């Protein structure tokens, strides 16, 4: 168990999201006081049993955020408050999304403005490695202190670059800021079923038997949560990349195949062939109200330079991401516990395989 600061209040936005709820679990495991922001009418079942103080509001509505910062009924001062802003919209769509831009940029500005107005102890912004300009020839990508949306590709990346720049400006003015850049987050407790969880679930349910070539850096959500907590509890400011392991899709599907006992070999489809059907994938996604696994941006990402260095975090907070095999196994076991896997033979094989280890 990690040891945090004494008598701190952690305010977490996006607490029902994949990273948010894992972070809240870690904070409560370490007996920290936690206050979370939840959208009005949003299902908060996953948070109700964690012993957190729930405030309903919207990062786009600044007036609704004052209750989040209200300490009148507590023994805390604002020098005891750490805000961790994880709320945001992640998208692999190639199209510009005005709502995503509002949430990712204006929502961040609203939280930052109030944090500065109340002069809190530390503001931690969860950015993304996508906000960092890509380097050529798979050169090692490290932390930067300047963010320019013109230097990154994709609507999501541009919104994160703009927001990161806003936060960095506050840091340069002397406000206690930490900017965290996770790579591709995967792992258990993903109740909203993000892209990677959706892909793993589809493969284990035998609904996915093809893949494309490509690679990316994936990191366990629990490792990112632990890294954020260490940065907060030890008051480390500045920018930190929290990446994991650069892994090919070939290896990722091999891990899934070994874990599940599936015999059929996963067919490889060329990226140019997939591009032809991207409009169809998008249409199917809209019909079934599910995000498509393949877009022009996701295909680009899997071919881009994702050689992200977490050396700074490793040196500063002893950050060491766990093996990717462990992450995938734990994700599968969580999907079983949530009754999201349908094939009894695969469920039995995964449980047996896990018990052997």
């Amino acid at each position: 168990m990690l040891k945090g600061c004494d008598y701190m209040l952690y305010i977490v936005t996006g607490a029902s999201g994949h990273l948010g709820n894992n972070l809240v679990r870690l904070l409560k495991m370490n007996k920290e006081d936690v206050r979370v922001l939840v959208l009005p009418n949003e299902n908060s079942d996953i948070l109700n049993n964690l012993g957190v103080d729930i405030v309903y509001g919207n990062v786009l509505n600044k007036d609704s955020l004052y209750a989040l910062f209200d300490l009148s009924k507590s023994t805390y001062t604002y020098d005891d408050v750490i805000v961790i802003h994880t709320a945001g919209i992640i998208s692999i769509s190639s199209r510009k999304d005005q709502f995503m831009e509002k949430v990712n940029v204006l929502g961040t500005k609203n939280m930052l403005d109030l944090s500065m107005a109340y002069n809190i102890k530390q503001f931690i912004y969860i950015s993304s490695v996508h906000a960092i300009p890509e380097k050529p020839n798979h050169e090692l990508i490290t932390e930067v202190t300047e963010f320019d949306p013109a230097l990154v590709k994709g609507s999501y990346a541009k919104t994160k670059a703009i927001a990161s720049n806003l936060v960095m400006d506050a840091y340069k003015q002397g406000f206690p800021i930490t900017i965290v850049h996770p790579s591709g987050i995967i792992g258990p407790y993903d109740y909203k079923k993000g892209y990677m969880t959706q892909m793993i679930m589809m493969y284990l349910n035998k609904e996915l038997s093809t893949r494309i070539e490509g690679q990316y850096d994936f990191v366990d959500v629990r490792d990112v949560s632990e890294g954020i907590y260490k940065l907060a509890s030890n008051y480390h400011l500045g920018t930190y990349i929290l990446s994991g392991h650069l892994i090919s899709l070939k290896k990722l599907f091999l891990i899934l195949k070994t874990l599940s006992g599936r015999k059929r070999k996963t067919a490889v489809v060329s990226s140019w062939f997939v591009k032809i059907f991207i409009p169809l994938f998008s249409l199917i996604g809209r019909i079934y109200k599910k995000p498509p696994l393949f877009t022009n941006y996701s295909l680009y990402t899997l071919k881009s330079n994702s050689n992200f260095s977490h050396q700074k975090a490793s040196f500063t907070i002893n950050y060491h991401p766990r093996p990717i095999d462990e992450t995938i196994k734990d994700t599968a076991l969580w999907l079983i516990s949530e009754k999201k896997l349908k094939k009894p033979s695969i469920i039995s094989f995964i449980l047996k395989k896990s018990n052997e280890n």
Side-chain angles (χ1 to χ4, degrees):
M1 183 178 291
L2 299 171
K3 181 175 175 56
C5 299
D6 293 332
Y7 309 113
M8 300 301 299
L9 173 64
Y10 288 82
I11 293 178
V12 181
T13 66
S16 60
H18 192 192
L19 175 59
N21 89 80
N22 272 274
L23 177 60
V24 169
R25 288 171 192 277
L26 178 64
L27 291 170
K28 293 307 299 181
M29 184 181 74
N30 284 274
K31 305 186 185 311
E32 301 287 3
D33 284 342
V34 181
R35 182 180 293 176
V36 302
L37 181 70
V38 175
L39 284 168
N41 302 319
E42 184 177 8
N43 188 334
S44 59
D45 289 348
I46 62 175
L47 300 168
N48 288 334
N49 297 324
L50 295 179
V52 300
D53 178 18
I54 298 178
V55 174
Y56 292 93
N58 190 326
V59 293
L60 296 181
N61 181 352
K62 200 169 186 178
D63 288 341
S64 74
L65 300 177
Y66 287 104
L68 192 64
F69 289 84
D70 183 9
L71 302 183
S72 62
K73 296 180 181 180
S74 76
T75 58
Y76 291 106
T77 68
Y78 288 107
D79 195 45
D80 304 319
V81 175
I82 295 176
V83 171
I84 306 177
H85 180 51
T86 79
I89 294 178
I90 300 172
S91 175
I92 59 171
S93 173
S94 303
R95 297 182 301 174
K96 186 173 182 178
D97 186 328
Q98 291 184 340
F99 181 67
M100 175 178 68
E101 185 172 351
K102 284 182 179 179
V103 172
N104 291 356
V105 179
L106 178 59
T108 300
K109 184 178 185 302
N110 285 339
M111 286 298 301
L112 177 62
D113 286 348
L114 285 176
S115 296
M116 294 179 71
Y118 287 111
N119 197 27
I120 64 159
K121 179 179 177 64
Q122 185 179 8
F123 182 85
I124 301 179
Y125 171 56
I126 309 305
S127 180
S128 167
V129 290
H130 290 275
I132 303 174
E134 184 181 347
K135 288 188 177 182
N137 303 318
H138 291 278
E139 292 178 24
L140 191 65
I141 299 174
T142 56
E143 290 81 358
V144 298
T145 56
E146 300 286 342
F147 301 94
D148 186 346
L151 299 180
V152 295
K153 294 186 178 182
S155 297
Y156 169 70
K158 291 181 184 298
T159 65
K160 298 304 278 188
I162 294 170
S164 297
N165 208 35
L166 287 172
V167 178
M168 179 54 70
D169 284 345
Y171 176 68
K172 291 177 179 178
Q173 293 170 22
F175 194 69
I177 295 284
T178 305
I179 300 178
V180 175
H181 300 280
S183 56
I185 293 178
I186 58 175
Y189 303 107
D190 185 9
Y191 293 98
K192 295 186 177 180
K193 307 297 184 301
Y195 301 106
M196 289 305 297
T197 302
Q198 183 183 336
M199 188 199 75
I200 292 171
M201 187 167 62
M202 289 176 65
Y203 179 87
L204 296 177
N205 283 326
K206 295 187 176 181
E207 296 169 351
L208 182 65
S209 297
T210 59
R211 66 170 178 83
I212 58 174
E213 294 288 2
Q215 62 179 6
Y216 198 65
D217 187 293
F218 295 107
V219 62
D220 193 297
V221 65
R222 296 164 296 182
D223 293 327
V224 176
S225 299
E226 184 174 321
I228 294 169
Y229 184 47
K230 284 183 175 179
L231 290 169
S233 58
N234 293 290
Y235 197 60
H236 290 296
L237 307 180
T239 58
Y240 293 87
I241 292 175
L242 298 184
S243 55
H245 305 280
L246 184 60
I247 181 174
S248 68
L249 291 186
K250 179 180 180 180
K251 182 178 179 181
L252 182 66
F253 274 81
L254 180 60
I255 294 172
L256 282 168
K257 184 173 182 289
T258 304
L259 177 66
S260 64
R262 282 189 62 175
K263 302 299 183 185
R264 182 177 176 181
K265 187 177 180 180
T266 306
V268 180
V269 182
S270 63
S271 296
W272 67 263
F273 183 79
V274 173
K275 278 187 175 182
I276 296 174
F277 291 95
I278 280 178
L280 178 60
F281 296 145
S282 299
L283 176 61
I284 293 172
R286 288 195 294 272
I287 291 173
Y288 291 97
K289 297 182 180 180
K290 291 183 177 181
L293 286 176
F294 299 116
T295 64
N296 284 318
Y297 186 61
S298 67
L299 294 179
Y300 160 76
T301 299
L302 292 170
K303 297 294 184 182
S304 65
N305 179 8
S306 53
N307 188 16
F308 303 111
S309 171
H310 55 71
Q311 183 176 357
K312 181 180 178 182
S314 295
F315 177 79
T316 307
I317 57 173
N318 196 30
Y319 172 79
H320 296 288
R322 71 195 71 200
I324 192 74
D325 307 61
E326 180 182 334
T327 300
I328 294 173
K329 179 198 71 176
D330 289 350
T331 302
L333 290 173
W334 175 75
L335 287 169
I336 291 172
S337 72
E338 290 292 304
K339 297 181 171 33
K340 297 299 180 183
L341 299 191
K342 306 171 185 176
K343 305 294 181 182
S345 60
I346 286 183
I347 293 172
S348 177
F349 193 92
I350 292 172
L351 292 174
K352 181 180 178 183
K353 192 84 173 175
S354 299
N355 288 333
E356 289 175 355
N357 297 331

